[in-house]
Amino acid sequence: FVNVVGSVVALSLVSAPNVALLQPSIPVFAMGISRLLRYEWLTLWKSLGLALSVAGSTLVVVFSTEESGSSKDAVTGNIVLVFQCAAMAMLLVLQKDVNKIYPHKTITFWFYSIGTVLSGIA
């Protein structure tokens, strides 16, 4: 739910290219979260990739400006977008245990069904 709401809020504050630029950070967040939860171990290359990706996302958030709207809206939108990506990454990491119990199609069905209902309510 946070993923969907975060996307909508971010798109109201920043342009679609900004969203497209930061969406690929989801695997980066997933790697960091899975390490914190001890699902994955970091290697030198994973650590380097993680650091470079975080630095790149930070630069985009800090130095982005929008042609329409204020730069404060752009920074706020990018921060919302970063939290949205982190929420999606958390969902992906936490579903790892659920995948051992239920088929992936069942999990996907329920995630999107619940997300659709919650989006309709909000």
Side-chain angles (χ1 to χ4, degrees):
F1 181 67
V2 174
N3 181 35
V4 175
V5 172
S7 293
V8 172
V9 171
L11 276 170
S12 69
L13 297 170
V14 298
S15 64
N18 272 38
V19 175
L21 189 62
L22 286 176
Q23 283 296 316
S25 68
I26 292 172
V28 174
F29 284 111
M31 181 63 219
I33 292 167
S34 66
R35 174 59 194 118
L36 287 173
L37 297 176
R38 298 177 185 237
Y39 285 124
E40 289 276 340
W41 298 105
L42 287 179
T43 64
L44 176 64
W45 289 109
K46 287 180 184 178
S47 300
L48 181 62
L50 190 62
L52 287 172
S53 298
V54 169
S57 293
T58 303
L59 289 173
V60 168
V61 169
V62 172
F63 293 111
S64 71
T65 57
E66 296 289 315
E67 293 178 9
S68 61
S70 70
S71 62
K72 182 180 178 184
D73 285 346
V75 171
T76 302
N78 282 325
I79 290 170
V80 168
L81 189 58
V82 167
F83 280 110
Q84 177 264 327
C85 291
M88 183 61 188
M90 178 69 84
L91 173 71
L92 294 172
V93 170
L94 293 179
Q95 81 177 16
K96 186 174 184 176
D97 289 334
V98 178
N99 279 333
K100 295 175 185 173
I101 302 168
Y102 300 104
H104 67 279
K105 289 181 183 179
T106 303
I107 296 167
T108 302
F109 168 79
W110 282 109
F111 279 152
Y112 283 100
S113 297
I114 292 169
T116 300
V117 170
L118 291 175
S119 296
I121 292 171

